Amino acid sequence: IQVADFHMIFLTNFGKVYAMGVNNAGQVGDGYSDSIYQDPQIISNAGLYSDNDILDYASGYYHTIILTTTNKLFSVGDN
């Protein structure tokens, strides 16, 4: 579990990531900007990395960075 200022990211043993919290800049990574306060959502950013297992991730104030097992790096949220 990684906790940023207003959102949280959860990595499962199966390489999938769930997120919840404030999402005003898209930092949750679900492709929308609606905040998620209940029922964490699997993040796929409209399919950009939905077929890639996630190896690692980091989150900051308004962003989340995701590294996949295929060595692809994705960033969601505010620059």
Side-chain angles (χ1 to χ4, degrees), residues 2-3 6 10 12 14 17 20-21 23 26 28 41-43 48 51-52 55 57 61-62 64-65 67-68 70 73 79:
Q2 182 156 103
V3 179
F6 298 103
F10 311 83
T12 70
F14 302 105
V17 171
M20 65 184 298
N23 193 30
V28 167
Q41 301 294 307
I42 191 164
I43 59 175
L48 287 179
D51 295 331
N52 296 291
L55 180 63
Y57 59 95
Y61 197 74
Y62 286 118
T64 300
I65 298 171
L67 175 65
T68 70
T70 57
L73 188 66
N79 294 334

Side-chain angles (χ1 to χ4, degrees), residues 44-60:
S44 66
N45 200 29
L48 287 179
Y49 45 81
S50 60
D51 295 331
N52 296 291
D53 284 337
I54 296 171
L55 180 63
D56 203 1
Y57 59 95
S59 57

Side-chain angles (χ1 to χ4, degrees), residues 30-46:
D30 64 350
Y32 301 99
S33 60
D34 296 330
S35 294
I36 302 166
Y37 297 115
Q38 298 178 15
D39 302 323
Q41 301 294 307
I42 191 164
I43 59 175
S44 66
N45 200 29

